[in-house]
Amino acid sequence: MVNEYYILKAILLAQENVRKGCGGPFGAIIVKDDKIIAQAVNTVTKDNDPTAHAEINAIRLACKVLKTFSLEGCVIYSSCEPCPMCLSAIYWARIDKIYYSANCIDAAQAGFDDSFIYKEMTLDIDKRKIVEERLCETEGKRPFELWQESKNKIEY
């Protein structure tokens, strides 16, 4: 089956990434019209970039390849259930479907527990671990006013 081919390929990417020591045990592939558009691995430690998850890296590459910020019509295959950041990026990229193999419980057992992020997101701002404070509220609205007035904006 095609879906199993792509997910197994993502798993192999993750395994190879562990062997090479380039980042975490994660791989992702983006497919459009039964053709691989992009494939990537986690490069957090290699790139010293906490956002360099396999799914994010694959999205960035697919957008460059397709020369667009919208990945409508694409499917992502991830070796593991996407974390909150990756899931958000998948939604922003407008990817049609997610296939994954390992789940968040498997990841947590290997030391990649993101459940605290899901919990933090449900808390009121004043109860979160990282302190948030709003500054220059009026001035902060100006970029959005300019955006709304702009005649040459590209909506996304």
Side-chain angles (χ1 to χ4, degrees):
M1 202 168 180
V2 174
N3 295 339
E4 290 171 352
Y5 168 80
Y6 294 128
I7 198 71
L8 290 172
K9 193 164 176 57
I11 293 166
L12 288 174
L13 285 171
Q15 291 172 341
E16 186 61 24
N17 201 46
V18 172
R19 286 186 194 99
K20 289 182 178 178
C22 293
F26 304 96
I29 295 175
I30 296 179
V31 174
K32 184 172 186 172
D33 300 325
D34 291 325
K35 180 183 173 201
I36 294 175
I37 303 302
Q39 58 185 27
V41 294
N42 176 294
T43 57
V44 168
T45 56
K46 177 183 171 218
D47 295 340
N48 292 317
D49 179 352
T51 69
H53 291 200
E55 297 90 340
I56 301 287
N57 288 341
I59 288 169
R60 288 173 179 157
L61 182 57
C63 288
K64 283 181 186 174
V65 168
L66 296 175
K67 296 178 175 44
T68 181
F69 55 82
S70 174
L71 296 178
E72 287 182 71
C74 292
V75 174
I76 189 164
Y77 295 84
S78 180
S79 63
C80 185
E81 181 179 1
C83 75
M85 176 183 67
C86 292
L87 183 60
S88 296
I90 290 165
Y91 272 94
W92 277 113
R94 297 182 182 94
I95 291 173
D96 292 355
K97 190 166 186 176
I98 303 165
Y99 291 98
Y100 64 89
S101 186
N103 66 19
C104 62
I105 296 167
D106 301 320
Q109 289 172 346
F112 297 93
D113 189 358
D114 55 17
S115 62
F116 75 96
I117 298 172
Y118 284 106
K119 289 175 190 166
E120 283 285 305
M121 291 170 63
T122 65
L123 296 175
D124 290 335
I125 289 174
D126 61 336
K127 296 202 177 9
R128 294 180 184 165
K129 182 178 178 181
I130 297 176
V131 176
E132 296 180 42
E133 183 177 345
R134 189 172 184 182
L135 300 173
C136 302
E137 183 178 339
T138 302
E139 294 83 350
K141 293 178 184 178
R142 186 65 184 137
F144 295 112
E145 292 165 355
L146 290 172
W147 173 259
Q148 290 174 314
E149 296 166 4
S150 177
K151 304 244 186 282
N152 59 357
K153 65 185 169 206
I154 299 172
E155 302 217 13
Y156 60 96

